[in-house]
Amino acid sequence: QVQLVESGGGLVQAGASLRLSCAASGRISDYTMAWFRQAPGKERDFVAGISRSGSSPDYADSVKGRFTISRDNAKKTVYLQMNSLKAEDTAVYYCAAMLLYIMRIPKASDEYDYWGQGTQVTVSS
């Protein structure tokens, strides 16, 4: 098992940037990692995912070209660099880990085994 703690959220203006961090209590090299987000009254939606090695990242269409997911397995940390933020990016952002090894990066939240507590990102317009 692994415990995940997100940080780096905050209140920013549209067009600004934030970098979220997901710190793990143990090694993450055996996990596919992902970021999800959930706005009030909305489903928890996939934002970005990254394979165990850091290759083959995948993104939701709504964030392609603006967000970048990365990982540092030695530091046991996953990052989400968010640029050109929009008001519609406002949500609680969650870090997730999946143990099952498959080639693809799942976009369904129920595929993931471990979750952080979330960090709030608010973008004002």
Side-chain angles (χ1 to χ4, degrees), residues 22 30 32 34-35 46 52 56 75 85 91 93 98 106 114 125:
C22 172
D30 290 339
T32 297
W35 289 93
F46 176 84
R52 295 181 176 190
S56 303
K75 294 183 178 180
L85 282 162
Y93 283 70
M98 183 185 74
Y114 306 105
S125 59

Side-chain angles (χ1 to χ4, degrees), residues 8-23:
L11 173 63
V12 298
Q13 295 183 8
S17 297
L18 281 174
R19 189 179 75 160
L20 306 184
S21 296
C22 172

Side-chain angles (χ1 to χ4, degrees), residues 109-121:
S109 60
D110 60 7
E111 296 281 6
Y112 291 82
D113 302 292
Y114 306 105
W115 295 84
Q117 85 292 339
T119 185
Q120 177 70 48
V121 172

